[in-house]
mmCIF file of all heavy atoms in Angstrom:
data_model
loop_
_atom_site.group_PDB
_atom_site.id
_atom_site.type_symbol
_atom_site.label_atom_id
_atom_site.label_comp_id
_atom_site.label_asym_id
_atom_site.label_seq_id
_atom_site.Cartn_x
_atom_site.Cartn_y
_atom_site.Cartn_z
ATOM 1 N N ARG A 179 -16.623 31.646 1.438
ATOM 2 C CA ARG A 179 -18.083 31.302 1.337
ATOM 3 C C ARG A 179 -18.370 30.579 0.109
ATOM 4 O O ARG A 179 -19.243 29.737 0.231
ATOM 5 C CB ARG A 179 -18.779 32.647 1.417
ATOM 6 C CG ARG A 179 -18.760 33.329 2.869
ATOM 7 C CD ARG A 179 -19.358 34.661 2.839
ATOM 8 N NE ARG A 179 -19.204 35.249 4.224
ATOM 9 C CZ ARG A 179 -18.676 36.522 4.399
ATOM 10 N NH1 ARG A 179 -18.419 37.258 3.467
ATOM 11 N NH2 ARG A 179 -18.605 36.883 5.698
ATOM 12 N N GLU A 180 -17.604 30.866 -0.897
ATOM 13 C CA GLU A 180 -17.892 30.069 -2.209
ATOM 14 C C GLU A 180 -17.443 28.639 -2.166
ATOM 15 O O GLU A 180 -17.997 27.700 -2.648
ATOM 16 C CB GLU A 180 -17.194 30.845 -3.328
ATOM 17 C CG GLU A 180 -17.357 30.232 -4.689
ATOM 18 C CD GLU A 180 -16.815 31.155 -5.776
ATOM 19 O OE1 GLU A 180 -17.029 32.362 -5.688
ATOM 20 O OE2 GLU A 180 -16.154 30.572 -6.720
ATOM 21 N N LEU A 181 -16.358 28.331 -1.403
ATOM 22 C CA LEU A 181 -15.667 27.055 -1.515
ATOM 23 C C LEU A 181 -16.000 26.108 -0.246
ATOM 24 O O LEU A 181 -15.692 24.953 -0.298
ATOM 25 C CB LEU A 181 -14.110 27.143 -1.645
ATOM 26 C CG LEU A 181 -13.704 27.709 -2.954
ATOM 27 C CD1 LEU A 181 -12.164 27.841 -3.084
ATOM 28 C CD2 LEU A 181 -14.284 26.696 -4.117
ATOM 29 N N ILE A 182 -16.531 26.657 0.830
ATOM 30 C CA ILE A 182 -16.593 25.873 2.108
ATOM 31 C C ILE A 182 -17.542 24.726 1.832
ATOM 32 O O ILE A 182 -17.428 23.691 2.315
ATOM 33 C CB ILE A 182 -16.913 26.758 3.207
ATOM 34 C CG1 ILE A 182 -16.730 25.859 4.512
ATOM 35 C CG2 ILE A 182 -18.527 27.264 3.128
ATOM 36 C CD1 ILE A 182 -15.395 25.321 4.785
ATOM 37 N N GLY A 183 -18.549 24.861 1.047
ATOM 38 C CA GLY A 183 -19.460 23.822 0.812
ATOM 39 C C GLY A 183 -18.862 22.609 -0.261
ATOM 40 O O GLY A 183 -19.507 21.734 -0.346
ATOM 41 N N GLU A 184 -17.665 22.844 -0.605
ATOM 42 C CA GLU A 184 -16.968 21.861 -1.435
ATOM 43 C C GLU A 184 -15.633 21.552 -0.672
ATOM 44 O O GLU A 184 -14.712 21.001 -1.319
ATOM 45 C CB GLU A 184 -16.453 22.489 -2.750
ATOM 46 C CG GLU A 184 -17.770 22.891 -3.629
ATOM 47 C CD GLU A 184 -17.426 23.788 -4.918
ATOM 48 O OE1 GLU A 184 -16.292 23.576 -5.430
ATOM 49 O OE2 GLU A 184 -18.184 24.694 -5.168
ATOM 50 N N GLY A 185 -15.677 21.693 0.611
ATOM 51 C CA GLY A 185 -14.662 21.060 1.464
ATOM 52 C C GLY A 185 -13.353 21.909 1.493
ATOM 53 O O GLY A 185 -12.395 21.333 2.003
ATOM 54 N N ILE A 186 -13.381 23.009 1.084
ATOM 55 C CA ILE A 186 -12.147 23.859 1.140
ATOM 56 C C ILE A 186 -12.273 25.000 1.966
ATOM 57 O O ILE A 186 -13.241 25.867 1.754
ATOM 58 C CB ILE A 186 -11.834 24.351 -0.365
ATOM 59 C CG1 ILE A 186 -11.662 23.109 -1.274
ATOM 60 C CG2 ILE A 186 -10.507 25.176 -0.210
ATOM 61 C CD1 ILE A 186 -11.516 23.597 -2.696
ATOM 62 N N ARG A 187 -11.398 25.034 2.947
ATOM 63 C CA ARG A 187 -11.483 26.339 3.872
ATOM 64 C C ARG A 187 -10.472 27.426 3.421
ATOM 65 O O ARG A 187 -9.251 26.944 2.975
ATOM 66 C CB ARG A 187 -11.052 25.931 5.273
ATOM 67 C CG ARG A 187 -12.083 25.146 6.003
ATOM 68 C CD ARG A 187 -11.625 24.792 7.543
ATOM 69 N NE ARG A 187 -10.353 24.120 7.532
ATOM 70 C CZ ARG A 187 -9.212 24.776 7.868
ATOM 71 N NH1 ARG A 187 -9.265 26.092 8.276
ATOM 72 N NH2 ARG A 187 -8.061 24.034 7.928
ATOM 73 N N VAL A 188 -10.872 28.604 3.291
ATOM 74 C CA VAL A 188 -9.995 29.681 2.766
ATOM 75 C C VAL A 188 -9.836 30.711 4.024
ATOM 76 O O VAL A 188 -10.862 31.165 4.451
ATOM 77 C CB VAL A 188 -10.491 30.374 1.516
ATOM 78 C CG1 VAL A 188 -9.525 31.441 0.955
ATOM 79 C CG2 VAL A 188 -10.760 29.360 0.398
ATOM 80 N N ASN A 189 -8.641 31.167 4.217
ATOM 81 C CA ASN A 189 -8.361 32.101 5.222
ATOM 82 C C ASN A 189 -7.086 32.888 4.775
ATOM 83 O O ASN A 189 -6.534 32.641 3.984
ATOM 84 C CB ASN A 189 -8.115 31.436 6.658
ATOM 85 C CG ASN A 189 -9.359 30.693 7.261
ATOM 86 O OD1 ASN A 189 -10.224 31.416 7.697
ATOM 87 N ND2 ASN A 189 -9.428 29.324 7.234
ATOM 88 N N ALA A 190 -6.909 33.912 5.645
ATOM 89 C CA ALA A 190 -5.642 34.874 5.363
ATOM 90 C C ALA A 190 -5.025 35.174 6.580
ATOM 91 O O ALA A 190 -5.768 35.223 7.752
ATOM 92 C CB ALA A 190 -6.219 36.163 4.572
ATOM 93 N N VAL A 191 -3.680 35.397 6.616
ATOM 94 C CA VAL A 191 -2.977 35.960 7.696
ATOM 95 C C VAL A 191 -2.716 37.456 7.172
ATOM 96 O O VAL A 191 -2.316 37.643 6.081
ATOM 97 C CB VAL A 191 -1.751 35.199 8.111
ATOM 98 C CG1 VAL A 191 -2.179 33.908 8.917
ATOM 99 C CG2 VAL A 191 -0.818 35.036 7.115
ATOM 100 N N ARG A 192 -2.636 38.254 8.159
ATOM 101 C CA ARG A 192 -2.302 39.742 7.871
ATOM 102 C C ARG A 192 -0.985 40.096 8.794
ATOM 103 O O ARG A 192 -1.181 40.567 9.925
ATOM 104 C CB ARG A 192 -3.435 40.662 8.194
ATOM 105 C CG ARG A 192 -4.615 40.225 7.245
ATOM 106 C CD ARG A 192 -5.599 41.387 7.113
ATOM 107 N NE ARG A 192 -6.189 41.871 8.433
ATOM 108 C CZ ARG A 192 -7.125 42.790 8.385
ATOM 109 N NH1 ARG A 192 -7.534 43.340 7.279
ATOM 110 N NH2 ARG A 192 -7.475 43.160 9.597
ATOM 111 N N PRO A 193 0.215 39.800 8.314
ATOM 112 C CA PRO A 193 1.440 40.042 9.070
ATOM 113 C C PRO A 193 1.648 41.653 9.312
ATOM 114 O O PRO A 193 1.153 42.426 8.380
ATOM 115 C CB PRO A 193 2.598 39.557 8.364
ATOM 116 C CG PRO A 193 1.852 38.662 7.246
ATOM 117 C CD PRO A 193 0.522 39.029 7.058
ATOM 118 N N GLY A 194 2.281 42.028 10.334
ATOM 119 C CA GLY A 194 2.697 43.429 10.561
ATOM 120 C C GLY A 194 4.020 43.555 9.815
ATOM 121 O O GLY A 194 4.134 43.082 8.680
ATOM 122 N N ILE A 195 4.981 44.021 10.538
ATOM 123 C CA ILE A 195 6.383 44.238 9.907
ATOM 124 C C ILE A 195 7.233 42.966 10.415
ATOM 125 O O ILE A 195 7.542 43.002 11.522
ATOM 126 C CB ILE A 195 7.033 45.580 10.222
ATOM 127 C CG1 ILE A 195 6.000 46.755 9.929
ATOM 128 C CG2 ILE A 195 8.363 45.741 9.550
ATOM 129 C CD1 ILE A 195 6.450 48.103 10.366
ATOM 130 N N ILE A 196 7.463 42.204 9.470
ATOM 131 C CA ILE A 196 8.157 40.963 9.653
ATOM 132 C C ILE A 196 9.754 41.067 9.124
ATOM 133 O O ILE A 196 9.854 41.607 8.089
ATOM 134 C CB ILE A 196 7.500 39.817 9.083
ATOM 135 C CG1 ILE A 196 6.023 39.818 9.437
ATOM 136 C CG2 ILE A 196 8.218 38.384 9.379
ATOM 137 C CD1 ILE A 196 5.663 39.816 10.860
ATOM 138 N N GLU A 197 10.622 40.473 9.826
ATOM 139 C CA GLU A 197 12.029 40.559 9.358
ATOM 140 C C GLU A 197 12.333 39.703 8.254
ATOM 141 O O GLU A 197 12.509 38.503 8.426
ATOM 142 C CB GLU A 197 12.969 40.131 10.598
ATOM 143 C CG GLU A 197 12.933 41.252 11.666
ATOM 144 C CD GLU A 197 14.009 40.714 12.798
ATOM 145 O OE1 GLU A 197 15.158 40.454 12.368
ATOM 146 O OE2 GLU A 197 13.638 40.514 13.849
ATOM 147 N N THR A 198 12.117 40.110 7.035
ATOM 148 C CA THR A 198 12.556 39.429 5.911
ATOM 149 C C THR A 198 13.210 40.353 4.830
ATOM 150 O O THR A 198 13.282 41.566 5.076
ATOM 151 C CB THR A 198 11.222 38.792 5.170
ATOM 152 O OG1 THR A 198 10.544 39.894 4.515
ATOM 153 C CG2 THR A 198 10.392 38.145 6.138
ATOM 154 N N ASP A 199 13.595 39.756 3.634
ATOM 155 C CA ASP A 199 14.336 40.647 2.763
ATOM 156 C C ASP A 199 13.442 41.487 1.932
ATOM 157 O O ASP A 199 13.907 42.464 1.187
ATOM 158 C CB ASP A 199 15.133 39.752 1.737
ATOM 159 C CG ASP A 199 16.202 38.829 2.307
ATOM 160 O OD1 ASP A 199 16.581 39.238 3.446
ATOM 161 O OD2 ASP A 199 16.450 37.778 1.730
ATOM 162 N N ILE A 200 12.047 41.339 2.060
ATOM 163 C CA ILE A 200 11.098 42.087 1.223
ATOM 164 C C ILE A 200 11.408 43.580 1.391
ATOM 165 O O ILE A 200 11.108 44.390 0.444
ATOM 166 C CB ILE A 200 9.713 41.728 1.457
ATOM 167 C CG1 ILE A 200 8.858 42.036 0.323
ATOM 168 C CG2 ILE A 200 9.256 42.377 2.766
ATOM 169 C CD1 ILE A 200 7.336 41.367 0.377
ATOM 170 N N HIS A 201 11.760 44.147 2.629
ATOM 171 C CA HIS A 201 11.852 45.439 2.773
ATOM 172 C C HIS A 201 12.975 46.196 2.019
ATOM 173 O O HIS A 201 12.953 47.379 1.778
ATOM 174 C CB HIS A 201 12.054 45.737 4.339
ATOM 175 C CG HIS A 201 11.044 45.138 5.135
ATOM 176 N ND1 HIS A 201 9.679 45.342 5.115
ATOM 177 C CD2 HIS A 201 11.075 44.093 6.032
ATOM 178 C CE1 HIS A 201 8.968 44.688 5.844
ATOM 179 N NE2 HIS A 201 9.859 43.783 6.414
ATOM 180 N N ALA A 202 13.963 45.402 1.481
ATOM 181 C CA ALA A 202 14.977 45.943 0.602
ATOM 182 C C ALA A 202 14.476 46.579 -0.709
ATOM 183 O O ALA A 202 14.913 47.469 -1.176
ATOM 184 C CB ALA A 202 16.086 44.853 0.312
ATOM 185 N N GLN A 203 13.368 45.969 -1.107
ATOM 186 C CA GLN A 203 12.651 46.390 -2.372
ATOM 187 C C GLN A 203 11.979 47.744 -2.124
ATOM 188 O O GLN A 203 11.830 48.475 -3.244
ATOM 189 C CB GLN A 203 11.547 45.355 -2.790
ATOM 190 C CG GLN A 203 11.901 44.045 -3.025
ATOM 191 C CD GLN A 203 10.625 43.025 -3.253
ATOM 192 O OE1 GLN A 203 9.528 43.531 -3.539
ATOM 193 N NE2 GLN A 203 10.892 41.783 -2.996
ATOM 194 N N SER A 204 11.576 48.069 -1.036
ATOM 195 C CA SER A 204 10.950 49.341 -0.780
ATOM 196 C C SER A 204 11.837 50.463 -0.222
ATOM 197 O O SER A 204 11.634 51.623 -0.275
ATOM 198 C CB SER A 204 9.796 49.245 0.200
ATOM 199 O OG SER A 204 10.278 48.983 1.571
ATOM 200 N N GLY A 205 12.947 49.997 0.341
ATOM 201 C CA GLY A 205 13.875 50.947 1.137
ATOM 202 C C GLY A 205 13.302 51.352 2.445
ATOM 203 O O GLY A 205 13.811 52.356 2.997
#
Side-chain angles (χ1 to χ4, degrees):
R179 292 173 178 130
E180 186 169 308
L181 291 178
I182 191 59
E184 298 169 33
I186 304 173
R187 288 184 304 103
V188 183
N189 292 286
V191 293
R192 302 200 301 184
I195 305 175
I196 310 302
E197 288 180 58
T198 72
D199 296 340
I200 202 170
H201 306 296
Q203 296 169 28
S204 69

